[in-house]
Every structure is written in structure tokens, then in C-alpha cells.
Amino acid sequence: MKQKFWITLFSSLLFFGCEKDKDGGEPSLLPVSQLSISLEPANYSIDTAELILSEHSGKILLDTLLSTRQQHTLEVRTLETEFVVTTVFHAKDYDKIIVDSYVQANPNNWQITPSDSYQYLPYNNDPAFGEGFEAATVKYLNVPPIPGDDFHFSNTYALRSGYTYNPSEGSLEIEYTKRNSTNHTYFVVPESNLYKISAEVQKNATIDLTQMKEATKATYRTSQDLQEKSTLLFGYPVANNYNNYLWLYYTNFIRFQSGYDIIYPKSDIYAYKFISTWSDASSNAYQYYSFADSVPTHLSFIDESYIKLNSKSFESLSVQFDKDLPTYYASTWTDSGNEIFWTIFSPTTKTAFNPKQFINSLNASLLKDRSLSNLKLAKVTIEKADDLSYQAFFNSVFNLNVNKENKIGLARRFTKNVN
């Protein structure tokens, strides 16, 4: 059976072709499906990746090397509408291979990123992002006292690179890199609990801080004994514009006094993207994601009680769900040298399979010189995202047309460390 491949615009045409049946009889009609796919690695040294589409029976429908950051239309001839979708990204500069398999999925119009770098909504696929950046400065006047030079500044897409603070004059000049088009800036002094958001800031601007607003300080509440690893908070100052955001908070950038966990502007922001990661004594990871018009402080995590590992060998993986079903579960397998990271994403209806048989049947070109016999289970992840189905969740992550609508409001993830 011939396979066709070419680069084109988005397409969802459906037509029919002929194929001999298995007994050599008269040809039967099979639908020819066109899938529009782009591979978007975070590592810019990766310019080629492998894509494999197979049926649930294991039959390979397509195995091809694709250039990254380009939209491709691929033709497969099959009766199935859901596939096993496998991508292989090889980062040659540090010899790391990321393999991701999505079981029972339809990848049409997906822009697939490796599992170690995909992000939630809103997706910032902004044509203006490539328009260029320029060096800029903003000079603040009538600056409140800044003990220990403890302040935070951000603008659309960037943080500050340098600054000059003159407390006797009450002035602060900040150097940063700005986008050529619309630009917002955010300035906060945690000590005085004051902030200023300014819109349409020009290349070299002067901003008076005589009038500032009071920031909000909050503490987290959790039901488990966990340790915070990192928290990020992004703010969107313009309604429905997900390409213009401000980095409002990051645990490693803002130093603060005891008595609160996070500081942020309660007004001047249309929506907040909140991502907080925690861990327990067994190095299990917990993540809480929210996209809403407020910042969550009561963090209710999902945990190990949501999934049970009945078998975890390379020849047999078996899981069980005793509570509310997650949106998906994923198993990550690594070799002894941590050069291969293979993650299998599965719906909760498929609770048992043979990973070794699965990866060997793929016969991936980019894995032919690699030993796969010593792969071991490193971690198991479950995630519950709103009430989205398995397919709807990954459409929200990878399908640009869907994720512009911002389908995910709350997602909670738990990762069990198996090592």
C-alpha cells in the first residue's frame, strides 16, 4: 500500500481508495484520512523528528521523518479514526531521545511538543513573536523605599536584565528587552506591598510612581504534608489576548518576608495562569494548574490513592483506578544511562498492556542503534483536567484552534516516583 506525504495547508478532506483484501480477493474500499500535524520541539537543535502512526492491532500505517516547525499533511488508509501516535525527538547536542506514544488518539491539527515541554493553555502562538525585539529602558520616579533592592519587574515576554537604583533621588532605571509591538510593564515592591501596571510602554519611558496600588498577599492551604518546589503566576492584562502576559510571580525571583506565600495584583489583570509544583518525602510530585479570574490559595491535590500499580514490569504494566477516573495516565520508561525517555499516554479504559512488545513493534528508525531491553519504569503520572475526556484534553494541549478557546480551567497532576 502506498503512502503519500506532502506539505500543505490545513486540510480535512476525505476520499476513498482501493486495497486488496487479505485473501487476495477483490479490492475493498478503505477511507483515506488526511491528518495535519506539526512537530514543535522546545530544543531548537532538533530539526527532524520521527512520526509513527499505527492501528490498535499493531499494524504500522505510517513511519516517516518530518522536518520540525512545519505543518505537514499525512495520508493514511484505514477504517480506524483513532490511532497510536508515536513521536521520536533526538536532541543530538546532549544525546537525549524523547519518545512519546499517545494511545487511542486522533492527532489531526495537532502541534505536538515533547512531553517534557508541552504547556497548558493559553498557547502563545503569536505571529508578532518573531517580529523582533529591542533593548529598552524604563525610568521610575517617586519610587517608594526598596529595602535590599527587593523588587520585581516584568514586561510582555521578558524580565529585567539590569537596573540602577538611586534611593536619594527616589529613581530607578531598569534595562530590559521589549517586543517591538504592544508592551505592558509590571513593577512591585513586596516590602511596601505596592505595585504599578503600565500599558503601551514605549522603548524609553518614564513612569511616575506617585500613585501605586496595593498588592494582595496570600498564604496557601493544602490537605497534605507537602513541600513547595516552585510556583509561577502569569497575568493577562487584556481580555482574550493570550499573547500579552506579565510574569507576576516566581518563587525563585521574588524574595519576601514571612507571613505570606504569594504576592500579586488583584486588579488590572483579566485572567491569571497559576502553576504550582510540590513534592512529598518520597519525591512524588504534585502539580496544581489554574486559569481563572482569581488566584487559587486552597490547593486540593490528587494523590497516590487515585491509582494502583498491579504490575510494573517491562513485559506487563497493569494499573487500577479506585477513585474518580483521571483524564489520562502515563508511564515513563528510561534506560540505565538516562538517554531514552519514553512516555506512554493512555486512556483509563486501557489498563493493561505489554510495553516491551509495543516499542519493539514500532521499529522506530531513530531507535535502531539503541538498546531497548533494559528500559525500566521510572514514574507513573495521572492528571485530572476539568471534566475533559482523553481526546478533548490533548486537543486542548496540541490543537491550536481548540486551545485558543482556553478549555482547561483546572488541572491537577500527580506523579509517582517508582525508582
Side-chain angles (χ1 to χ4, degrees), residues 22-302:
K22 294 180 180 179
D23 298 325
E26 291 301 316
S28 59
L29 291 178
L30 288 179
V32 178
S33 300
Q34 287 185 337
L35 305 175
S36 187
I37 297 173
S38 174
L39 303 179
E40 305 284 339
N43 186 320
Y44 279 81
S45 68
I46 301 176
D47 53 16
T48 303
E50 185 172 3
L51 174 71
I52 304 173
L53 295 179
S54 54
E55 294 181 343
H56 298 292
S57 63
K59 176 184 177 182
I60 303 297
L61 298 171
L62 178 71
D63 185 348
T64 184
L65 296 177
L66 299 178
S67 55
T68 59
R69 299 178 187 84
Q70 294 185 26
Q71 199 71 33
H72 303 273
T73 295
L74 308 170
E75 182 181 284
V76 292
R77 191 166 294 178
T78 177
L79 289 171
E80 297 190 9
T81 57
E82 295 177 336
F83 313 94
V84 180
V85 184
T86 299
T87 59
V88 185
F89 294 91
H90 184 192
K92 296 181 179 180
D93 51 351
Y94 51 94
D95 200 23
K96 177 181 178 181
I97 296 180
I98 302 173
V99 186
D100 296 315
S101 296
Y102 301 88
V103 178
Q104 199 173 317
N106 188 321
N108 192 37
N109 288 341
W110 279 14
Q111 294 187 355
I112 306 176
T113 59
S115 59
D116 67 342
S117 61
Y118 78 72
Q119 298 184 358
Y120 295 113
L121 305 179
Y123 186 88
N124 294 290
N125 187 30
D126 183 9
F129 187 84
E131 71 182 10
F133 296 81
E134 59 186 353
T137 62
V138 57
K139 186 173 184 178
Y140 288 109
L141 304 178
N142 297 309
V143 179
I146 310 178
D149 289 8
D150 186 7
F151 69 89
H152 173 63
F153 170 89
S154 71
N155 74 296
T156 304
Y157 290 123
L159 301 172
R160 61 181 168 88
S161 57
Y163 70 93
T164 302
Y165 176 44
N166 190 331
S168 61
E169 294 182 357
S171 66
L172 173 67
E173 185 169 307
I174 296 176
E175 301 168 359
Y176 68 103
T177 302
K178 73 175 290 290
R179 197 179 64 169
N180 288 346
S181 60
T182 303
N183 184 52
H184 281 69
T185 58
Y186 172 61
F187 176 78
V188 61
V189 181
E191 176 70 21
S192 60
N193 200 32
L194 296 173
Y195 80 91
K196 178 83 169 184
I197 291 179
S198 304
E200 303 295 339
V201 178
Q202 301 303 310
K203 179 178 178 180
N204 297 302
T206 299
I207 299 175
D208 193 324
L209 297 182
T210 300
Q211 294 184 347
M212 299 180 70
K213 295 184 178 181
E214 184 175 347
T216 297
K217 293 179 178 178
T219 56
Y220 302 127
R221 289 182 296 142
T222 65
S223 57
Q224 290 114 320
D225 185 17
L226 304 176
Q227 179 180 0
E228 182 185 10
K229 304 300 289 185
S230 69
T231 296
L232 296 90
L233 180 66
F234 299 92
Y236 298 82
V238 180
N240 299 317
N241 184 347
Y242 303 130
N243 299 310
N244 184 7
Y245 62 90
L246 295 167
W247 199 330
L248 301 178
Y249 179 84
Y250 181 36
T251 45
N252 290 356
F253 285 169
I254 299 182
R255 306 183 302 276
F256 47 77
Q257 299 171 322
S258 60
Y260 68 96
D261 295 319
I262 191 169
I263 181 172
Y264 62 93
K266 198 168 186 178
S267 58
D268 301 309
I269 296 295
Y270 163 73
Y272 301 88
K273 181 164 70 171
F274 174 89
I275 307 172
S276 191
T277 303
W278 300 61
S279 67
D280 60 20
S282 300
S283 298
N284 299 320
Y286 304 72
Q287 186 179 90
Y288 191 100
Y289 168 91
S290 169
F291 187 84
D293 59 3
S294 61
V295 178
T297 55
H298 183 197
L299 308 182
S300 176
F301 298 99
I302 59 174

Side-chain angles (χ1 to χ4, degrees), residues 230-383:
S230 69
T231 296
L232 296 90
L233 180 66
F234 299 92
Y236 298 82
V238 180
N240 299 317
N241 184 347
Y242 303 130
N243 299 310
N244 184 7
Y245 62 90
L246 295 167
W247 199 330
L248 301 178
Y249 179 84
Y250 181 36
T251 45
N252 290 356
F253 285 169
I254 299 182
R255 306 183 302 276
F256 47 77
Q257 299 171 322
S258 60
Y260 68 96
D261 295 319
I262 191 169
I263 181 172
Y264 62 93
K266 198 168 186 178
S267 58
D268 301 309
I269 296 295
Y270 163 73
Y272 301 88
K273 181 164 70 171
F274 174 89
I275 307 172
S276 191
T277 303
W278 300 61
S279 67
D280 60 20
S282 300
S283 298
N284 299 320
Y286 304 72
Q287 186 179 90
Y288 191 100
Y289 168 91
S290 169
F291 187 84
D293 59 3
S294 61
V295 178
T297 55
H298 183 197
L299 308 182
S300 176
F301 298 99
I302 59 174
D303 54 31
E304 190 169 359
S305 65
Y306 282 75
I307 185 171
K308 181 180 180 182
L309 276 174
N310 295 323
S311 175
K312 57 182 182 180
S313 72
F314 193 31
E315 291 79 16
S316 174
L317 178 70
S318 175
V319 301
Q320 179 178 328
F321 303 102
D322 296 327
K323 288 189 175 182
D324 292 343
L325 291 177
T327 303
Y328 72 86
Y329 76 98
S331 58
T332 299
W333 306 78
T334 62
D335 61 341
S336 56
N338 286 325
E339 296 175 351
I340 300 175
F341 292 81
W342 177 37
T343 302
I344 309 169
F345 295 87
S346 302
T348 55
T349 54
K350 187 173 180 60
T351 57
F353 59 95
N354 185 329
K356 182 177 181 179
Q357 183 182 57
F358 177 18
I359 197 168
N360 286 335
S361 69
L362 294 177
N363 197 26
S365 299
L366 295 182
L367 295 176
K368 283 186 176 179
D369 61 343
R370 302 284 174 162
S371 174
L372 304 177
S373 59
N374 64 348
L375 289 178
K376 293 184 178 180
L377 184 63
K379 59 185 180 181
V380 174
T381 298
I382 57 175
E383 183 158 11

